[in-house]
């Protein structure tokens, strides 16, 4: 019997390995799971050995990546088996399949405790290992005293005690109260006298957790830790099995130094001297060798020693030695060591005395700025920024400017900001500062914030000697054929204020300055035009005696913009043309700007805060948004059921709607197409790259937080709707204990319905829930088709809608009983209040026989359902695109992890989101431009524009820019598209369609009948 059992397991493993593809493997696994499930139903007839065999198979299937949602009780029951083989399987499989909150674990607590306090060391080890892996608060409260007794027991073998230490560590992390500080500090110190390195290493792990929580109670352990380090450094009494590539127990060394870093100081001079001798030995004895494993171990010890040296604020001589050692590391070929060297040098900058020593390695650090690994380049940038001062600022900033032209655009914003801050803090003279900022704008204008050029204007305005030089440099940049819009702004401002100081220089007459600035007008966005109009007025004021030709040209421009739709532009044009006719009064009104008051630079303020990454910013914005938590994790377990044949016919039970005028109201409230038309502005001649401003900063700006207003849901059959609707909507599917398994993948069905308007939302052996939807502006009407597939009625039927705060939803009456082979229609009215990606949830339950089934299903009333595709022409697109100048109305992000696909497939995917791709708008054939109109009660019709830039050499990443007139809409649309693009295989799953398309098309009520 034993032989046949082992043969069965071996045959199953062989069958799995011989499968030709994933589908064959799934079929074989499903067959085996069905067999195991059948055997477990007759559990009384199973011997402990047979139960062990089937549980082993379950573990193997789980290790292959399949969900095993049954047999947990059988695995737990093996823990109480009297023999080791069965008990071992019980402990191993329970630790793998269950988590600390599983209800079945409570049944095993007494058995586990009996094994721990028993005399069988093997059983003790099994129990301690399992508790150390998955023990929760209940285990901590029940078992902690017994585990502590094992740990300090002198009669237990080291094998048991080291497992007890790790087990107690787990229990302490789950409930710190289980370790009494007053009674445990002395015992912890005694444990550090242990000669067995296994017990000592485990005890040190426990000590690290204890001192991180409360170091003051464990001062008596500090000298013991130093003695342990001395023992290891001198290789005293270290068994061979604890020596790793000649290094005495590197794991214990690292843990000991980590524990010492939680103590603020070491007051005893003898202990401090002994510790520094050990650290000196580690620093002197570590070098880079060819063996990778030895390198990893020795450098783990070394870098922990460096951290301890910095923590203890060692003498300057030792600090210098550390910097010299790191200087060798940043020059080696191994990238991991270079990274750690740069990172620790940056940390050492906190110790001001070593800054001069770090400067000796400046050339090597600059070389690291060109490393192929971006993580090393980032650490090199941080280090250069931290080590910069007046003596080396010029060299470092010039290197940063040179690197800027080749740096990845994910780094350019941070790089630009740091270069600007360093130039301002450590400029040897102001003319050099002006040169640096103008170069910065010229090379990376998209990544230069307005704060940077505002600061240049302040410096130039407040320093008269600098004004002619700054105006001359601005004039030079305007001669370039293509310059960034930020350069146009700063140059126009400087020449308007100080251009008259250049009158005697060649090509700097007022007419020539006006001509070269006016050439840039057609290429700029509406936000820049007011600055240019102010410059024209200043030029007119400084032209004495007046030039009639120049005056007429400028007046014609003012006249043109007197009727501009932009209020700012219109007001300036009207006021300037009126002022320019007042003669001498113009000189007083448009005199030079006064000096700015001295105040702290906004850039220096930024220097005190870390520059957020796009991911961090997005996370912050999501937490600031509405607090609706109606996003539900769906069950993705493999289907075990089969649908009924298409020939099965259902009778139709009609349920009256809550409002007889619902359809009429929906039609009445729908917006006409005129509401979504584009607003017209004066068209501008297109520039060489009208989409160039897409290379803007990658900082993700989000919508302001909005107040969450609770929305009532009218549900028939229930008199009291719970107040905690949103809380109820986040119950994870993994904790549902339904005995009925769904047919098909629920998540795939939901994602498919996000792109289609009809299909099956959920199906199990007893019921099928279909959906057919119609969407008009910000209104929607869904019909839920509840079909009973059996010859017996479904009773206790309940349906509750759990809406997010941005949707107003009303469900019609749902009958408590669905007759045999009948279908029920339940209309659901939806109104979209504002943009959001949160999802409504259908909490559906029914009873069939003795089975009570409850499922929570996401409803496909998602963001893109309220889109209406609209094609735009170049004359309509570019004025709108330019008017949305930047965050929070225009957001940009690099999206990685996209499934590579041809550009045509990506265009089709966008079309399925109800975004229409507009060909010919982008001159780059590898890019896509799309548009749509979004409807909600708060925004009404809002135009949305999208541009996607792809790299033919790497289709797994793209850069996406989204723009609209509403910050919340821009952010939600960007995040929605990113989720869909990263999860394309799921999002593009086929939608189950009716087997009788003609019938379903002619009669919505017959859709489910065709599906069944």
């Amino acid at each position: 019997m034993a032989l046949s059992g082992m043969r069965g397991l071996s045959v199953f493993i062989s069958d799995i390995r011989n499968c030709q593809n994933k589908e064959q493997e799934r079929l074989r696994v499903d067959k085996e799971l069905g067999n195991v499930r059948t055997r477990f139903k007759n559990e009384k007839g199973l011997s402990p050995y047979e139960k062990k065999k089937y549980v082993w198979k379950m573990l193997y299937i789980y290790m292959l990546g399949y969900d095993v949602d049954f047999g947990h009780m059988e695995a737990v029951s093996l823990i109480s088996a009297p023999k080791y083989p069965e008990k071992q399987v019980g402990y191993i499989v329970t630790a793998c399949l269950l988590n600390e909150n599983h209800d079945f674990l409570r049944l095993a607590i007494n058995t586990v405790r009996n094994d721990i306090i028993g005399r069988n060391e093997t059983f003790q080890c099994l129990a301690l290992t399992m508790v150390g892996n998955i023990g929760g608060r209940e285990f901590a409260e029940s078992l902690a005293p017994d585990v502590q007794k094992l740990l300090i027991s002198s009669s237990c073998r080291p094998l048991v005690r080291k497992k007890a230490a790790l087990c107690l560590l787990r229990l302490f992390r789950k409930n710190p109260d289980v370790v009494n500080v007053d009674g445990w500090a002395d015992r912890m110190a005694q444990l550090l006298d242990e000669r067995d390195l296994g017990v000592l290493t485990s005890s040190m792990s426990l000590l690290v957790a204890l001192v991180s929580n409360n170091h003051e109670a464990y001062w008596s352990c500090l000298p013991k830790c130093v003695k342990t380090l001395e023992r290891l450094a001198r290789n005293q009494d270290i068994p061979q099995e604890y020596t790793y590539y000649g290094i005495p127990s590197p794991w214990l060394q690292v843990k000991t130094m980590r524990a010492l870093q939680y103590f603020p100081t070491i007051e005893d001079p003898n202990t401090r001297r002994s510790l520094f001798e050990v650290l000196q030995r580690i620093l002197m004895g570590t070098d880079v060798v060819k063996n990778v494993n030895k390198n990893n171990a020795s450098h783990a010890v070394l870098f922990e020693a460096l951290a301890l040296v910095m923590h203890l604020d060692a003498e300057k001589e030792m600090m210098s030695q550390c910097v010299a050692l790191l200087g060798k590391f940043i020059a080696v070929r191994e990238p991991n060591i270079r990274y750690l060297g740069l990172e620790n040098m940056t940390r050492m900058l906190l110790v001001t005395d070593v800054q001069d020593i770090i400067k000796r390695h400046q050339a090597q650090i600059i070389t690291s700025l060109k490393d192929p690994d971006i993580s090393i380049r980032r650490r090199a940038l941080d280090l250069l920024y931290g080590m910069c001062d007046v003596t080396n600022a010029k060299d470092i900033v010039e290197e940063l400017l040179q690197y800027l032209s080749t740096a990845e655009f994910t780094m350019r914003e941070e790089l630009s900001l740091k270069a600007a801050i360093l130039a301002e803090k450590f400029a040897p003279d102001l003319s050099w500062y002006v040169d640096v900022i103008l170069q910065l704008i010229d090379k990376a204008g998209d990544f230069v914030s307005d704060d940077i050029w505002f600061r240049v204007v302040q410096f130039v305005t407040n320093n008269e000697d600098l004004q002619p030089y700054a105006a001359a440099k601005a004039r030079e940049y305007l001669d370039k054929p293509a310059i960034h819009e930020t350069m146009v702004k700063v140059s126009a401002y400087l020449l308007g204020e100080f251009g008259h100081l250049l009158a005697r220089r060649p090509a700097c007459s007022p007419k020539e300055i006006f001509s070269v600035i006016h050439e840039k007008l057609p290429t700029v966005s509406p936000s820049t035009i007011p600055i240019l109009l102010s410059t024209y007025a200043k030029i007119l004021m400084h032209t004495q005696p007046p030039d009639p030709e120049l005056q007429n040209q400028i007046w014609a421009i003012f006249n043109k913009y007197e009727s501009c739709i932009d209020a700012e532009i219109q007001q300036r044009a009207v006021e300037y043309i009126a002022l320019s006719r007042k003669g001498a009064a113009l000189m007083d009104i448009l005199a030079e700007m006064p000096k700015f008051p001295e105040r702290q630079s906004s850039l220096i303020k930024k220097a005190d805060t870390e520059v957020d990454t796009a991911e961090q910013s997005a996370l912050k914005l999501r937490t600031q948004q509405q607090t609706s938590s109606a996003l539900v994790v769906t069950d993705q377990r493999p289907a075990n059921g089969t649908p009924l044949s298409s020939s099965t016919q259902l009778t139709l039970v009609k349920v009256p709607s809550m409002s007889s005028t619902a359809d009429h109201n929906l039609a009445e409230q729908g917006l006409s197409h005129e509401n979504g038309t584009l607003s017209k502005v004066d068209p501008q001649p297109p520039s060489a790259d009208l989409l160039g401003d897409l290379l803007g900063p990658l900082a993700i700006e989000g919508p302001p937080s909005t107040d969450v207003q609770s929305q009532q849901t009218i549900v028939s059959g229930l008199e009291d709707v719970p107040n905690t609707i949103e809380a109820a909507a986040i119950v994870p599917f993994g904790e549902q204990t339904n005995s009925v398994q769904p047919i098909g993948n629920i998540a795939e069905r939901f994602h498919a319905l996000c792109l289609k308007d009809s299909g099956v939302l959920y199906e199990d052996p007893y019921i099928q829930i279909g959906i057919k939807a119609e969407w008009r502006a910000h209104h929607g009407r869904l019909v839920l088709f509840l079909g009973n597939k059996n010859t017996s009625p479904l009773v206790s039927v309940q349906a509750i809608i759990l809406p997010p705060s941005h949707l107003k939803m009303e469900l019609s009456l749902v009958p408590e009983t669905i007759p045999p082979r009948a279908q029920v229609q339940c209309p659901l009215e939806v109104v979209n209040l504002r943009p959001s990606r949160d999802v409504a949830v259908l909490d559906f339950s029914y009873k069939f026989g003795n089975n009570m089934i409850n499922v929570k299903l996401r409803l496909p009333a998602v963001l893109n359902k309220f889109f209406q595709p609209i094609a735009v022409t170049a004359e309509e697109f570019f004025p709108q695109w330019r008017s949305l100048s930047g965050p929070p109305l225009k957001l940009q992000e690099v999206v990685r992890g996209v499934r590579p696909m041809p550009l045509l497939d990506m265009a089709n995917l966008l079309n399925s989101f109800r975004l229409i791709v507009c060909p010919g708008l982008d001159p780059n054939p590898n890019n896509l431009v799309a548009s749509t109109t979004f409807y909600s009660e708060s925004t009404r019709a809002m135009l949305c524009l999208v541009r996607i830039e792809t790299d033919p050499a790497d289709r797994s990443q793209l850069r996406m820019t989204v723009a609209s007139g509403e910050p919340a809409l821009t952010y939600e649309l960007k995040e929605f598209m990113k989720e869909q693009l990263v999860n394309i295989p799921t999002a593009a799953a086929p939608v189950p369609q009716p087997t009788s398309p003609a019938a379903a098309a002619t009669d919505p009520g017959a859709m489910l009948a065709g599906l069944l």
Side-chain angles (χ1 to χ4, degrees), residues 382 385 414 417-418 421 425 451 600-613 616 620:
D382 292 341
Y385 177 76
E414 182 182 358
L417 177 60
K418 287 185 173 178
I421 292 171
K425 288 176 70 175
D451 290 335
Q600 184 183 6
S601 165
S602 60
L603 296 181
I604 303 299
K605 290 180 182 178
K606 284 186 179 180
D608 299 331
T609 59
E610 184 180 355
V611 179
D612 283 351
T613 63
Q616 290 169 331
K620 288 180 182 178

Side-chain angles (χ1 to χ4, degrees), residues 308-545:
L308 184 55
V309 169
M310 287 185 275
H311 173 74
L312 297 175
D313 195 14
E315 293 79 4
K316 186 174 181 180
E317 182 179 352
M318 182 171 281
M319 289 291 187
S320 303
Q321 187 179 350
C322 293
V323 175
L325 192 59
L326 292 173
K328 290 198 304 183
F329 289 161
I330 65 174
V332 302
R333 295 181 59 185
E334 174 60 38
N336 291 334
I337 297 176
R338 287 206 308 279
Y339 178 93
L340 291 170
L342 292 167
E343 183 183 45
N344 279 273
M345 268 194 177
T346 307
R347 292 176 63 191
M348 280 202 158
L349 284 171
L350 299 174
V351 185
T352 55
D353 291 343
V354 300
Q355 189 163 359
D356 292 337
I357 307 171
I358 292 178
K359 287 181 187 177
R360 300 172 190 169
H361 306 281
Q362 180 173 314
Q364 185 59 48
I365 298 169
I366 290 174
T367 303
S368 298
L369 200 60
K370 304 177 179 69
D371 195 276
D373 191 328
I374 187 172
S375 59
I376 293 178
R377 296 200 298 271
R378 287 187 181 278
R379 296 292 75 78
L381 174 61
D382 292 341
L383 182 52
L384 286 172
Y385 177 76
M387 64 187 284
C388 186
D389 59 17
V390 179
T391 62
N392 60 3
K394 209 165 185 177
D395 294 334
I396 289 178
V397 172
E398 287 176 0
E399 286 292 340
L400 295 183
L401 289 175
Q402 183 179 351
Y403 175 55
L404 192 59
S405 57
T406 59
E408 281 193 348
F409 46 72
T410 54
M411 283 184 64
R412 290 186 184 180
E413 184 183 10
E414 182 182 358
L415 192 59
S416 303
L417 177 60
K418 287 185 173 178
I421 292 171
L422 294 179
E424 179 176 337
K425 288 176 70 175
F426 305 114
D429 58 78
L430 290 179
S431 60
W432 178 81
Y433 170 72
V434 171
D435 285 342
V436 168
I437 300 302
L438 293 181
Q439 286 185 60
L440 198 61
I441 296 173
D442 184 47
K443 291 185 176 183
D446 287 318
F447 302 92
V448 175
S449 66
D450 286 344
D451 290 335
I452 294 177
W453 79 269
F454 291 169
R455 193 63 175 162
V456 174
V457 168
Q458 291 174 23
F459 273 118
V460 175
T461 302
N462 289 5
N463 294 273
E464 294 182 6
D465 296 340
L466 191 60
Q467 292 167 1
Y469 179 80
K473 295 297 291 185
R475 175 67 184 86
E476 290 177 16
Y477 277 102
L478 285 177
D479 284 333
K480 289 191 173 185
I483 61 174
H484 192 270
E485 188 170 336
T486 304
M487 183 65 77
V488 175
K489 291 179 184 178
V490 67
S491 298
Y493 186 94
L494 292 175
L495 289 172
E497 290 290 329
F498 314 114
H500 62 284
L501 303 176
L502 308 178
R504 297 181 181 179
R505 301 192 185 190
C508 290
S509 67
K511 184 179 290 186
E512 289 169 318
I513 289 177
F514 165 76
S515 177
V516 73
I517 292 177
H518 189 55
E519 287 177 0
K520 312 299 181 184
L521 180 63
T523 66
V524 300
S525 64
S527 63
T528 305
I529 294 176
I531 297 176
L532 300 188
L533 295 183
S534 299
T535 300
Y536 298 160
K538 292 272 186 174
I539 292 174
L540 201 60
M541 181 266 292
H542 285 303
T543 306
Q544 299 297 333

Side-chain angles (χ1 to χ4, degrees), residues 630-636 729-734 736 747 841 856 858:
L631 287 169
V632 177
V633 181
T634 59
D635 190 357
Q636 300 188 23
I730 59 172
V731 178
F733 275 104
Q736 296 181 14
V841 175
K856 293 179 175 61
R858 292 180 290 178

Side-chain angles (χ1 to χ4, degrees), residues 116 207 366 549:
I116 288 177
L207 177 65
I366 290 174
E549 182 182 354

Side-chain angles (χ1 to χ4, degrees), residues 689-705:
D689 183 12
L690 285 170
L691 296 169
D693 61 334
L694 280 167
L695 298 174
L698 294 180
I700 305 300
E701 297 289 335
S705 59

Side-chain angles (χ1 to χ4, degrees), residues 650-923:
L650 299 178
T651 58
L652 187 63
V653 178
K654 292 187 178 180
V655 177
S657 172
M658 293 293 291
S659 171
S660 60
T661 60
D663 291 337
H664 175 72
N665 291 340
L666 185 61
E668 285 286 315
Q669 294 170 359
L671 288 175
S672 65
H673 182 66
E674 285 75 16
N675 291 333
T677 54
L678 298 165
S679 60
K680 301 292 183 182
V681 297
D682 293 339
Q684 302 294 334
S687 65
D689 183 12
L690 285 170
L691 296 169
D693 61 334
L694 280 167
L695 298 174
L698 294 180
I700 305 300
E701 297 289 335
S705 59
T706 55
D707 293 331
V708 180
Q709 299 177 354
S710 59
Q711 304 294 335
Q712 283 191 334
T713 306
I714 302 175
V715 184
S716 64
L718 292 177
E719 296 180 359
D720 297 319
V721 178
N723 292 326
T724 57
I725 284 180
E726 291 183 349
I730 59 172
V731 178
F733 275 104
E735 293 185 8
Q736 296 181 14
T737 57
N738 290 340
S739 59
V740 175
Q741 299 302 313
I743 298 173
N745 189 301
I746 297 177
E748 291 178 1
R749 292 184 186 275
F750 167 77
H751 286 296
L753 284 168
C754 290
L755 306 180
K756 303 289 184 179
D757 287 336
S758 64
V760 177
L761 178 67
Y762 171 82
E763 184 176 8
D764 64 29
Y766 307 130
I767 195 168
Q768 186 181 61
I769 303 176
I771 279 187
K772 190 172 182 67
E774 296 176 343
W775 307 94
R776 185 178 303 163
H778 61 288
H779 292 265
R781 188 172 192 268
L782 290 81
V783 180
L784 301 179
F785 296 87
L786 311 178
N788 184 352
K789 299 164 58 175
N790 295 273
T791 55
S792 300
L794 302 180
V795 297
S796 301
V797 178
Q798 289 186 348
I800 302 175
I801 300 296
L802 309 176
S805 60
H806 74 285
L807 295 179
K808 185 162 58 178
M809 309 181 80
E810 181 176 338
L811 181 66
S812 69
L813 290 169
V814 178
E816 290 189 0
T817 302
I818 302 179
R821 298 199 177 279
Q823 182 190 87
V824 174
Q825 291 185 23
C826 302
L828 172 63
E829 306 294 340
V830 181
V831 179
N832 185 28
L833 304 178
R834 60 180 175 273
S836 176
R837 287 174 296 121
D838 290 347
V839 184
V841 175
L842 170 66
D843 188 349
F844 184 81
S845 62
Y846 67 93
K847 188 174 183 180
F848 183 84
N850 295 325
N851 292 322
M852 188 68 194
I853 294 91
N854 175 253
V855 291
K856 293 179 175 61
L857 305 169
R858 292 180 290 178
L859 291 172
V862 289
L863 187 73
N864 62 303
K865 297 297 186 181
F866 304 101
F867 289 163
Q868 179 178 318
I870 179 171
V872 294
T873 63
E875 291 76 19
E876 296 169 326
F877 176 87
F878 291 112
Q880 293 287 344
W881 187 262
R882 285 196 297 265
S883 67
L884 304 170
S885 56
L889 299 181
K890 181 186 288 184
L891 300 178
Q892 186 179 89
E893 184 170 354
V894 177
V895 182
R896 294 183 172 84
V898 177
R899 190 192 74 177
M901 65 171 70
L903 207 60
L904 180 60
D905 290 353
M906 184 170 290
N908 293 334
L909 189 65
L910 294 181
N911 290 335
S912 69
F913 298 160
R914 304 191 182 199
L915 288 151
I916 189 166
V917 174
C918 306
L921 289 185
D922 196 310

Side-chain angles (χ1 to χ4, degrees), residues 983-1000:
N983 296 292
I984 286 171
T986 301
V991 182
Q993 292 299 321
T995 54
S996 177

Side-chain angles (χ1 to χ4, degrees), residues 113-114 116-117 128 142-151 164:
R113 183 174 183 273
N114 290 334
I116 288 177
I117 64 178
L128 292 170
S142 304
L143 304 179
D146 299 314
V147 175
Q148 292 178 22
K149 289 178 183 177
L150 282 183
L151 177 57

